[in-house]
């Protein structure tokens, strides 16, 4: 269906732009990954940009969903989301979902635009003049977020887009004309990035982050004109500026050495603490980018001492969603020479896990993990990215959450389109995933392995013990905020006042139907005594039933219980 063009920047335009930008990055992802050489030749810039915009788009969709009535969009008027609501949601979604160096910078670009679009005042900032201001503010705020700006990167492309928009005659006020000018300015600047950054010239490519921004601005043109702009970098031959350039040429700068870890985390802190954090992190490494504001920040840095980078965040405020990536030899800015292609494994398991402890357990068993924080389920793009990281011909996908079944199905379908054979086992809890992983045998036929894993997961009854956040009606009666809830197979079965007693009652109900093995996964906030109490209970009351206990870390629930 042809896209209906927008005439000014309202909430629908924000929504449309996010959707078109996501589609454009999806089409260009592999190409952008392939030309990724700076600051790290790790081949993931396109994927990181896609995941960042996917998070932004999901946040905007959530705003629209909140305004729907019985599943139907509201009529134009007070019930419709405002541009301020949509723009702030876009910025917040990008901030919390930002991945990698370029994704973090793109999040700040979107935040800078949102600050203008959502600004209070009598004069609206939603026409072409407002778009010009938004592009300029975005470019400046992104540059300020980077500790040591480098020309020939996405920052250069963003500045060129703002320059081109401002060069239009003052009488030009429609968003379509301004967007076209910004796009063309960015596209032309992208073509010259190899002249500004030697590592790009040696590899014969343009800047990958800048290439992604051109795609995003192309989507902006389509939003306001209904036309797909011609000559997007790849179409004009700009993605590679040297003949015969292949993905294998995208090695890191051979004269450059740098840190071995990428550290990213969200941080709750005030402005003064973040200013001190910047000073603390800057000497530790490079590629320091700190974006955000209003108490929530996204911190990105490359360091040799990942622990020190996290400790600095703890001193500044509350860091969470911490991701530490070790740049392996051959795909980092410490590498020398070309990257040897990695051989695909025959089979891999990709699993969503609710806590760091379980992530370690699953990883030890050979699984590629996606960490799901409480209240922050992964998007389909994150699951697809994990499948790509697994780098296997066959993949078994374990969502470990009933609410993720549609997300996991979408990810599986996309991975299949990329040539990966994927089997989705509908695990509804991490303990079912543990049971499936325990019988996983990569050496047998794929179908046989999937059947065995599915059978093991299905034979595992699951439960969790958690604390009620508010008064609510449940299948076991009315609970009050602070009550301890025991859920069996997703339904509240027990309401109690004591964690240990409630867990014991839940376990008794589960073992009433029989069982041979009890799996207990303890969360960080579970009482120290609960595991010992449950182990003793099983030992004394249930003959020939074994118990195994794991520590799950920050997993949301106080404990998970599996019986098989």
């Amino acid at each position: 269906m042809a896209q209906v063009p927008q005439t000014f920047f309202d909430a629908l335009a924000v929504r449309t732009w996010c959707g078109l930008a996501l589609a454009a990055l999806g089409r260009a992802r592999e190409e952008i990954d392939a030309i990724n050489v700076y600051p790290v030749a790790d081949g993931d810039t396109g994927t990181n940009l896609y995941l960042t915009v996917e998070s932004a788009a999901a946040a905007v969709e959530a705003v629209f969903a909140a305004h729907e009535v019985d599943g139907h969009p509201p009529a134009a008027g007070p019930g419709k989301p405002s541009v301020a609501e949509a723009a702030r949601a876009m910025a917040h979604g990008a901030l919390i979902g930002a991945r990698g160096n370029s994704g973090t910078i793109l999040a700040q670009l979107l935040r800078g635009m949102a600050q203008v679009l959502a600004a209070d005042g009598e004069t609206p900032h939603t026409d072409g003049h407002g778009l010009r201001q938004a592009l300029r503010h975005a470019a400046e705020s992104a540059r300020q977020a980077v500790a040591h700006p480098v020309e020939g990167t996405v920052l250069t492309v963003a500045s060129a887009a703002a320059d081109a928009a401002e060069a239009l005659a003052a009488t030009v006020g429609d968003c379509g004309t301004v967007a076209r000018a910004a796009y063309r300015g960015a596209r032309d600047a992208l073509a010259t990035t190899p002249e500004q950054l030697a590592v790009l010239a040696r590899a014969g490519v343009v800047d990958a982050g800048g290439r992604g921004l051109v795609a995003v601005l192309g989507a902006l043109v389509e939003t306001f004109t209904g036309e797909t702009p011609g000559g997007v970098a790849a179409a004009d031959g700009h993605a590679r500026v040297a003949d015969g350039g292949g993905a294998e040429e995208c090695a890191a700068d051979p004269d450059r050495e740098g840190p071995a870890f990428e550290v990213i985390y969200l941080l709750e802190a005030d402005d003064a603490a973040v200013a001190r954090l910047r000073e603390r992190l800057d000497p530790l490494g490079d590629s320091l980018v700190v974006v955000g504001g209003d108490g929530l920040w996204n911190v990105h840095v490359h360091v040799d001492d990942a622990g020190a980078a996290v400790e600095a965040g703890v001193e500044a405020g509350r860091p969470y969603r911490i991701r530490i990536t070790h740049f392996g030899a051959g795909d980092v800015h410490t590498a020398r020479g070309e990257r040897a292609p990695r051989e695909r494994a025959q089979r891999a398991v990709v699993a969503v896990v609710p806590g760091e402890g379980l992530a370690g357990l699953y990883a030890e068993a050979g699984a590629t993990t996606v960490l799901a924080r409480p209240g922050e389920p992964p998007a389909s793009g994150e699951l697809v990215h994990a499948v790509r990281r697994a780098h296997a011909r066959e993949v078994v996908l374990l969502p470990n959450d009933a609410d993720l079944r549609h997300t996991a199905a979408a990810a599986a379908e996309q991975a299949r389109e990329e040539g990966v054979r994927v089997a989705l086992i509908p695990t509804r809890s991490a303990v079912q995933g543990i049971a499936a992983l325990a019988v996983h045998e990569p050496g047998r036929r794929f179908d046989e392995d999937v059947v065995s894993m599915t059978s093991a997961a299905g034979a595992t009854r699951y439960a969790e013990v958690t604390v009620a956040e508010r008064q609510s009606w449940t299948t076991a009666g009315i609970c009050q905020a602070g009550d301890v809830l025991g859920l069996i197979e997703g339904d509240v079965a027990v309401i109690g006042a004591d964690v240990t007693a409630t867990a014991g009652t839940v376990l008794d109900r589960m073992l009433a139907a029989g069982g041979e093995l009890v799996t207990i996964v303890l969360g960080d906030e579970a009482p120290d005594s609960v595991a010992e109490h449950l182990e003793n209970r099983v030992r004394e009351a249930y003959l020939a039933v074994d118990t195994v206990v794991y520590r799950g870390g920050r997993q949301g629930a106080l404990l998970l219980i599996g019986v098989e």
Side-chain angles (χ1 to χ4, degrees):
M1 180 183 294
Q3 180 63 50
V4 178
Q6 303 297 307
T7 56
F8 58 93
F9 235 129
D10 61 0
L12 184 58
V14 175
R15 183 190 206 182
T16 302
W17 182 31
C18 287
L20 292 174
L22 186 63
L25 288 170
R27 292 190 297 270
R29 181 192 59 78
E30 290 186 1
E31 173 208 327
I32 297 172
D33 282 346
I35 64 172
N36 173 200
V37 302
Y38 183 86
V40 183
D42 51 355
D44 64 356
T45 290
T47 299
N48 287 337
L49 290 170
Y50 179 89
L51 292 175
T52 301
V53 173
E54 182 181 51
S55 182
V60 173
E61 289 301 323
V63 167
F64 272 83
H67 282 77
E68 290 183 353
V69 179
D70 296 328
H72 298 288
K80 179 182 177 182
S82 68
V83 64
E85 288 178 291
R88 288 176 183 136
M90 173 186 71
H92 180 74
L95 177 67
I96 64 173
R99 297 299 185 91
N101 188 71
S102 293
T104 307
I105 293 173
L106 178 60
Q108 188 68 4
L109 287 167
L110 295 179
R111 177 180 171 83
M113 292 192 68
Q115 286 175 322
V116 173
L117 295 173
D120 295 327
E122 296 180 3
T123 304
H125 297 80
T126 57
D127 60 1
H129 300 295
L131 180 55
R132 271 198 286 260
Q133 295 177 43
L135 290 166
R136 172 56 65 197
H137 185 61
E140 291 177 349
S141 60
R143 192 169 286 269
Q144 291 167 4
V146 178
H148 301 284
V150 175
E151 297 305 327
T153 65
V154 63
L155 298 176
T156 304
V157 176
S159 294
D163 291 343
E166 289 180 341
L168 290 172
T171 55
V172 175
D174 67 287
C175 288
T177 302
V178 174
R180 281 196 191 97
Y183 167 78
R184 290 167 182 160
R187 181 194 61 191
D188 294 345
L190 177 66
T192 65
T193 53
E195 300 170 16
Q196 299 169 292
L197 203 53
V199 63
L200 301 179
R202 278 194 291 270
V205 298
V206 295
D207 179 65
R211 167 68 181 92
L213 180 57
V214 169
V216 171
L217 291 173
L220 187 64
V221 174
E222 188 174 357
T223 297
F224 290 115
T225 67
E227 304 167 359
T228 303
V232 174
D236 271 358
H238 293 327
R240 295 196 174 280
V241 295
D243 291 339
E248 68 277 2
E249 289 184 341
C250 297
D253 186 343
D255 299 322
R256 171 182 170 85
E257 291 194 0
F261 294 95
E262 178 183 60
V263 178
I264 305 176
Y265 50 81
L266 293 178
L267 177 70
E268 293 178 355
D270 59 34
D271 291 2
V274 170
R276 292 191 296 270
L277 176 66
R278 292 177 192 269
E279 295 176 355
R280 172 81 182 277
L281 291 177
D282 194 18
L284 294 181
D286 60 27
S287 298
L288 173 59
V289 185
V290 182
V291 304
D294 301 320
L296 180 62
W297 309 82
N298 190 307
V299 180
H300 170 281
V301 67
H302 295 170
V303 293
D304 279 322
D305 189 345
V310 175
E311 289 172 7
V314 173
E315 291 178 5
R318 186 178 82 85
Y320 61 104
R321 291 187 70 173
I322 301 168
R323 295 192 296 270
I324 300 175
T325 302
H326 179 251
F327 296 128
D331 68 355
V332 301
H333 49 7
T334 57
R336 296 183 179 276
E338 295 181 354
R339 290 184 293 164
R342 181 161 61 100
E343 181 67 24
R344 277 187 180 273
Q346 180 59 33
R347 190 174 306 159
V349 176
V350 172
V352 179
V353 291
E356 295 89 342
L358 279 179
L361 174 67
Y362 273 73
E364 288 175 8
T368 298
T369 62
V370 178
L371 191 61
R373 294 287 187 181
E376 300 172 1
S380 62
E382 293 181 80
L383 301 187
V384 173
H385 186 39
V387 171
R388 294 175 187 139
R389 284 193 288 119
H391 203 60
R393 297 180 181 88
E394 301 167 340
V395 169
V396 179
L397 182 57
L398 306 175
N400 291 339
D401 187 336
D403 292 336
L404 286 178
R405 61 189 184 279
H406 296 306
T407 300
E413 185 60 33
Q414 183 172 341
R416 292 184 189 112
E417 292 176 359
E418 297 178 7
V420 181
R421 188 180 184 188
V422 180
L424 171 60
I425 297 179
T427 48
R428 293 170 290 173
S429 170
V431 292
Q432 289 190 323
I434 292 172
L437 203 54
V439 300
H440 169 54
E441 291 186 14
R444 63 185 165 195
R445 291 178 57 245
F446 184 64
D447 291 341
E448 293 177 356
D449 198 28
V450 171
V451 169
S452 178
M453 294 176 72
T454 302
S455 180
T460 302
R461 299 186 299 282
Y462 64 95
E464 68 177 78
V465 177
T466 188
V467 176
E469 296 181 355
R470 63 184 69 87
Q471 183 187 60
S472 179
W473 287 89
T474 77
T475 51
I478 300 175
C479 70
Q480 305 296 328
D483 282 349
V484 180
L485 306 180
L487 290 81
I488 300 177
E489 305 282 326
D491 293 323
V492 177
V494 181
I495 300 175
D498 178 76
V499 173
T500 302
T502 301
T505 302
V506 168
L507 184 58
D508 286 339
R509 292 194 184 185
M510 296 179 74
L511 286 172
E516 298 176 353
L517 176 65
V518 173
T519 300
I520 300 170
V521 183
L522 295 174
D524 275 351
E525 298 181 3
D528 294 336
S529 61
V530 67
E532 182 180 358
H533 174 81
L534 295 178
E535 286 183 289
N536 290 337
R537 193 185 194 97
V538 171
R539 188 182 305 112
E540 295 169 1
Y542 302 96
L543 298 177
V545 177
D546 295 322
T547 306
V548 60
V549 178
Y550 302 110
R551 293 202 170 272
R554 290 186 61 226
Q555 61 184 23
L558 295 174
L559 67 154
L560 306 175
I561 302 174
V563 173
E564 53 185 297

